[in-house]
Amino acid sequence: MRKPGNLGGERPSPSFLTQEQREALDAALSKKRAEQPAPAPAAPVAAALNGGEEAAVKPQLGKNPHSEGMKTKRDLQHDHHLNRKGKGTGRVKKSGAGGKYTWGAQLLSDGDEEAVDVNDPNYDSGTDESRLVSFHEERSTQIAVFKRAVAMLLEEYFNSGDMHEAAVSLQELDHPEFGHYFVKRALATALDKHGREREMTSVLLSSLYNEVIVPSQVRKGFMAAIESLEDLKLDVPDVVEQLALFICRAVVDDVLPPAFVARIDGPPGSLHAELQHKCSLHLGAKHYTERLLRCWGSGAGFKFDETKESIRNMLQEYAASGDKEEVARILRDLAVPFFHHEFVKQALVRGLEDANQEPWLALLAQLNDSGEVSISQMTKGFQRVADNLHDTELDNPQARERFEAVTSAAVAGGWIEDGFTGSPTSASTGNGDASGSASAPFHPSVQAFKASALDIVREYFDSGDCGEVGQRLVELDEPGFHNIFVKHAIQLAMDRKDREREMVSALLPSLVPSVVSRDQAGMGFTRLLAGADDLSLDIPDAAHLLELFLGRAIVDEVLPPRFLAESVPHLEPDSMGIAVVQQTGTMLSAKHAAERFDACWHGGLATIEALRAQMDSLLREYLSSGDFTEAERCLQNLSVPHFHHDFVARSLLAAVEHEGQAGKVLGLLKQLADSGEVTQTQMAKGFGRIDSRLADVALDLPRAPELFQQYRHEALEQGWLTVA
């Protein structure tokens, strides 16, 4: 097994990478940077916030505004424009003269104000008005700059969907005490937008909670939004309903405590009282957890797999109806201008499959002429099709000829950028062959192996059987293609949940080196790094996920630490792959790197078998004690709501096997459904699993079919199973 900090017999190190390994990586990165001229200085993120003003502050995220032209406390103390007092104020000056109907000190002085000596034994900072003015002016400026930077941060997040970048940008602002301003601004901005942005805001707040923004600042931000209800209602008429959903969703996401709702106070008939009432209704409804998790709709535009499905359905309807106006309307409603390249790609692929490309050309031409799809997004979509044209030709031999005709029409119509040639990008040239060489001929069995590899991974996600995966790879008898399996296993997991990501991370050590050689594993990761820029088009947080997969593979000894330095020469300068390698090296150089990467998928269980063993233990303890509260708590602690169907199936088997305790088991399932801990979807899926295996179960338990039908009828009748 691995020995963190003691790789290859070297002296233990406080970080996972040794000093020699870090130096080798730094040298490789420096050499790669030297291959490209230094980039021009980037424009400040918050540039031109106060354009045109003499004392404009132009901060960059994470920069100290005082270092860029802002007046310091000392400057403000000696600024006569700020410290000049008006006549006849009636206030006695510290020098002992002045005030209404007095001679004042001016007649006794030389015309200059007396400087305040902070070293004077009689100095009182509480009455030093210059210090108070300085502090409040400085604080006000900091808040104003922070708010403007947050507005730009949110706008960029809504456009890109990059949650990791938003978190990093907020941290770089380096004002944790202003976290409540961010929360309030995020809520106010999302209230005036569509369901997509509201879903993105709920997910963002959940990810930032207690990581970037402390809980007290989150609560303070929500309370500030509540106090602004009257103002918000002027712009958002249904603000009470929408803010109630935000609050309840935050409760479900464990961002706010349930007791927070009780703190919303107001006289009867007021907006605050109405808000509290709506929150109570939402949180008191049956299955409120599942309802609130989808309170903003499907979240299209944030959940990219759902957006792809929406685009696919849209194009399917267009193929039948030919209604271009309807396509434009649906595309506008999706509100994903940064993802229009996916629409272009899918439309082109469908057009290449059709002998008549005219309807698809007409659709793209109209969307371009109307401005619905920008030229940059159109070009990106064309480029993605060009990058995968080799694979497309395997299923459609006429694809290249048709694509060239479509490209010519697009160039003539001005839909795509000048200079577009339709040739693949350098990052994609190695995707079609096993060797990674752009000039190598495409092996005819690669496509078949790729299809088999994807089937193996998908079945593994259902079964969790690592041994079965290894056996099937051996049966395929294509060890030279194992890098394709590694690449696609990781790529498929990246587009899924943490459960699948943990499963793939746990699978690789079981295959390497017994089934998959280390060289093939390294080649698979290299191909992923080389295609990272393209991968980010489909998976916006691809860079961060690749960092975790790569770091975990090194910690699990799937790859040697030297892989980081050795992979750099194979990557393009200034590419996302280089950034991933560099960041992974930084993370591995930190203390407790091994422990962090072990838990990188939020403590997911390494094997499905371990999870099932815990569920069986939970059931045994419940049948012994009958303590529903403890059983529910243990199920919550497993943190696998996506796998609750397996718990339902195992509970039903227990009820069949221990017929005398069936009532207790069914009572547990009923209470879990009523409390919302197990959703109706998971409940129905669990019943479905047993139904599909009933013939096999009956071999060991002959009464299983009869008892199962009885249990299902009882569940449907009592209402805790709504789908038969």
Side-chain angles (χ1 to χ4, degrees):
M1 296 301 290
R2 67 170 183 264
K3 310 174 190 64
N6 193 20
L7 299 175
E10 297 176 19
R11 185 178 178 181
S13 168
S15 66
F16 193 86
L17 294 183
T18 65
Q19 183 65 29
E20 292 79 4
Q21 290 161 354
R22 289 197 295 271
E23 289 174 355
L25 177 58
D26 289 341
L29 291 170
S30 298
K31 184 177 179 181
K32 179 60 67 172
R33 287 191 209 99
E35 296 177 10
Q36 183 162 306
V45 173
L49 289 180
N50 289 321
E53 297 180 14
E54 182 180 353
V57 181
K58 299 180 179 180
Q60 195 169 359
L61 291 182
K63 299 292 184 184
N64 186 350
H66 302 302
S67 65
E68 302 190 18
M70 184 183 292
K71 293 183 179 179
T72 64
K73 192 178 295 183
R74 183 175 180 85
D75 294 332
L76 290 170
Q77 286 177 355
H78 295 284
D79 190 334
H80 295 288
H81 296 287
L82 288 177
N83 286 333
R84 184 178 294 135
K85 312 277 193 303
K87 294 180 181 180
T89 61
R91 298 178 63 183
V92 178
K93 292 186 174 61
K94 203 168 171 61
S95 54
K100 195 172 185 180
Y101 309 126
T102 65
W103 288 103
Q106 289 86 346
L107 297 177
L108 304 176
S109 68
D110 59 1
D112 293 331
E113 291 190 17
E114 182 180 353
V116 178
D117 184 3
V118 295
N119 296 316
D120 190 328
N122 296 321
Y123 170 73
D124 183 0
S125 62
T127 58
D128 186 350
E129 295 181 9
S130 65
R131 286 181 62 87
L132 293 174
V133 170
S134 165
F135 174 79
H136 290 301
E137 287 285 343
E138 182 179 339
R139 195 67 163 178
S140 298
T141 306
Q142 287 179 347
I143 293 173
V145 171
F146 181 84
K147 287 182 176 179
R148 286 191 289 269
V150 162
M152 295 182 69
L153 185 160
L154 290 170
E155 191 64 32
E156 185 175 338
Y157 169 64
F158 289 146
N159 285 330
S160 68
D162 192 336
M163 196 156 39
H164 178 66
E165 178 63 26
V168 170
S169 297
L170 185 59
Q171 281 181 314
E172 287 178 349
L173 286 175
D174 198 24
H175 278 296
E177 73 277 14
F178 295 161
H180 60 285
Y181 287 115
F182 175 84
V183 174
K184 180 186 175 183
R185 184 57 181 263
L187 293 172
T189 304
L191 284 169
D192 201 24
K193 291 186 178 289
H194 298 91
R196 168 185 165 267
E197 287 83 0
R198 293 168 185 166
E199 172 67 16
M200 292 176 73
T201 300
S202 290
V203 175
L204 178 64
L205 292 177
S206 177
S207 69
L208 297 179
Y209 176 78
N210 214 23
E211 295 290 339
V212 180
I213 307 177
V214 297
S216 60
Q217 288 288 317
V218 173
R219 293 192 294 271
K220 188 175 179 181
F222 270 90
M223 194 57 73
I226 293 170
E227 291 169 358
S228 303
L229 266 178
E230 298 285 351
D231 294 335
L232 291 172
K233 190 172 177 62
L234 298 176
D235 298 319
V236 186
D238 60 341
V239 64
V240 175
E241 174 64 24
Q242 300 302 330
L243 189 56
L245 289 174
F246 267 118
I247 293 170
C248 295
R249 172 64 179 271
V251 171
V252 168
D253 289 339
D254 292 329
V255 172
L256 292 176
F260 180 85
V261 175
R263 301 176 192 169
I264 306 172
D265 194 20
S270 67
L271 291 179
H272 291 75
E274 183 183 354
L275 178 65
Q276 186 185 45
H277 177 65
K278 285 186 177 293
C279 289
S280 300
L281 288 178
H282 286 309
L283 293 173
K286 191 175 182 180
H287 311 309
Y288 70 89
T289 300
E290 188 174 18
R291 293 172 186 268
L292 289 168
L293 287 174
R294 291 190 171 272
C295 63
W296 308 122
S298 65
F302 186 79
K303 298 179 180 178
F304 288 86
D305 53 344
E306 295 183 2
T307 306
K308 289 181 182 179
E309 185 63 29
S310 299
I311 291 172
R312 193 174 298 115
N313 293 336
M314 178 199 321
L315 292 174
Q316 190 171 347
E317 290 179 14
Y318 172 72
S321 67
D323 189 345
K324 292 187 278 292
E325 296 298 331
E326 179 66 9
V327 172
R329 184 191 65 78
I330 297 174
L331 198 59
R332 280 194 299 271
D333 289 344
L334 284 179
V336 285
F338 58 89
F339 204 54
H340 281 174
H341 58 80
E342 174 67 23
F343 170 84
V344 175
K345 175 199 166 188
Q346 289 197 30
L348 286 172
V349 170
R350 288 189 67 100
L352 295 180
E353 295 170 354
D354 195 339
N356 180 19
Q357 286 89 48
E358 190 59 38
W360 305 101
L361 289 173
L363 174 63
L364 294 176
Q366 178 167 319
L367 291 174
N368 177 261
D369 293 342
S370 65
E372 290 290 344
V373 178
S374 67
I375 290 179
S376 63
Q377 289 290 312
M378 189 75 74
T379 305
K380 193 178 288 186
F382 269 79
Q383 187 62 62
R384 291 183 64 196
V385 175
D387 290 343
N388 293 287
L389 201 54
H390 207 134
D391 290 345
T392 307
E393 280 186 291
L394 296 174
D395 301 320
N396 180 8
Q398 295 179 306
R400 184 173 298 277
E401 179 183 347
R402 291 174 178 174
F403 180 69
E404 289 173 355
V406 172
T407 302
S408 299
V411 171
W415 315 341
I416 54 181
E417 295 172 355
D418 294 337
F420 179 79
T421 61
S423 57
T425 58
S426 58
S428 64
T429 54
N431 290 351
D433 57 88
S435 66
S437 170
S439 60
F442 187 81
H443 197 291
S445 62
V446 168
Q447 190 67 15
F449 181 87
K450 175 181 173 182
S452 299
L454 291 173
D455 288 341
I456 292 172
V457 176
R458 292 189 183 104
E459 289 179 18
Y460 169 64
F461 287 158
D462 286 333
S463 69
D465 191 340
C466 297
E468 176 68 18
V469 174
Q471 183 179 344
R472 290 191 60 182
L473 283 176
V474 171
E475 290 172 356
L476 288 176
D477 195 24
E478 291 284 5
F481 291 167
H482 284 171
N483 64 89
I484 298 175
F485 172 82
V486 172
K487 174 193 170 185
H488 286 288
I490 295 172
Q491 198 166 304
L492 204 59
M494 286 172 67
D495 206 20
R496 297 205 176 196
K497 305 293 184 184
D498 280 350
R499 168 184 171 267
E500 287 82 3
R501 295 164 187 163
E502 172 63 32
M503 290 179 71
V504 169
S505 287
L507 173 66
L508 293 179
S510 72
L511 299 178
V512 178
S514 58
V515 178
V516 178
S517 69
R518 295 194 193 279
D519 287 343
Q520 285 291 310
M523 191 182 299
F525 271 94
T526 301
R527 294 179 65 186
L528 278 169
L529 292 169
D533 294 275
D534 287 341
L535 193 57
S536 65
L537 298 175
D538 296 322
I539 307 171
D541 55 343
H544 180 58
L545 294 175
L546 271 177
E547 292 161 8
L548 296 180
F549 270 113
L550 180 56
R552 175 69 176 270
I554 291 173
V555 166
D556 286 341
E557 296 185 351
V558 172
L559 299 173
R562 68 175 183 274
F563 171 82
L564 294 176
E566 292 175 350
S567 65
V568 171
H570 302 286
L571 306 176
E572 293 290 329
D574 202 29
S575 65
M576 184 179 289
I578 291 290
V580 169
V581 170
Q582 184 173 8
Q583 181 61 21
T584 305
T586 301
M587 294 164 71
L588 286 169
S589 299
K591 290 184 178 180
H592 311 300
E595 291 83 352
R596 292 176 187 272
F597 277 108
D598 270 335
C600 66
W601 306 123
H602 307 294
L605 293 170
T607 63
I608 299 299
E609 287 77 7
L611 178 59
R612 287 171 174 162
Q614 293 196 41
M615 288 182 173
D616 288 339
S617 175
L618 185 162
L619 280 170
R620 284 195 298 270
E621 290 182 14
Y622 171 72
L623 291 175
S624 174
S625 67
D627 189 341
F628 162 73
T629 303
E630 179 65 15
E632 183 180 35
R633 186 189 65 78
C634 291
L635 190 60
Q636 287 175 339
N637 288 343
L638 289 179
S639 300
V640 284
H642 53 271
F643 207 59
H644 282 172
H645 63 273
D646 198 80
F647 177 78
V648 173
R650 302 182 90 74
S651 299
L652 291 171
L653 286 176
V656 171
E657 188 174 355
H658 306 284
E659 191 176 342
Q661 293 185 300
K664 184 182 289 187
V665 174
L666 296 179
L668 171 64
L669 292 178
K670 180 179 184 301
Q671 291 190 63
L672 289 173
D674 290 344
S675 69
E677 181 61 33
V678 176
T679 66
Q680 281 298 310
T681 302
Q682 292 290 312
M683 188 68 73
K685 193 173 181 180
F687 271 83
R689 285 286 175 90
I690 296 299
D691 195 17
S692 64
R693 294 161 42 200
L694 209 50
D696 293 337
V697 175
L699 297 176
D700 298 320
L701 302 167
R703 280 177 49 82
E706 176 190 348
L707 292 174
F708 174 73
Q709 296 300 333
Q710 177 184 327
Y711 299 157
R712 181 163 61 179
H713 177 74
E714 183 178 335
L716 289 168
E717 197 173 59
Q718 294 178 359
W720 51 276
L721 176 65
T722 57
V723 181

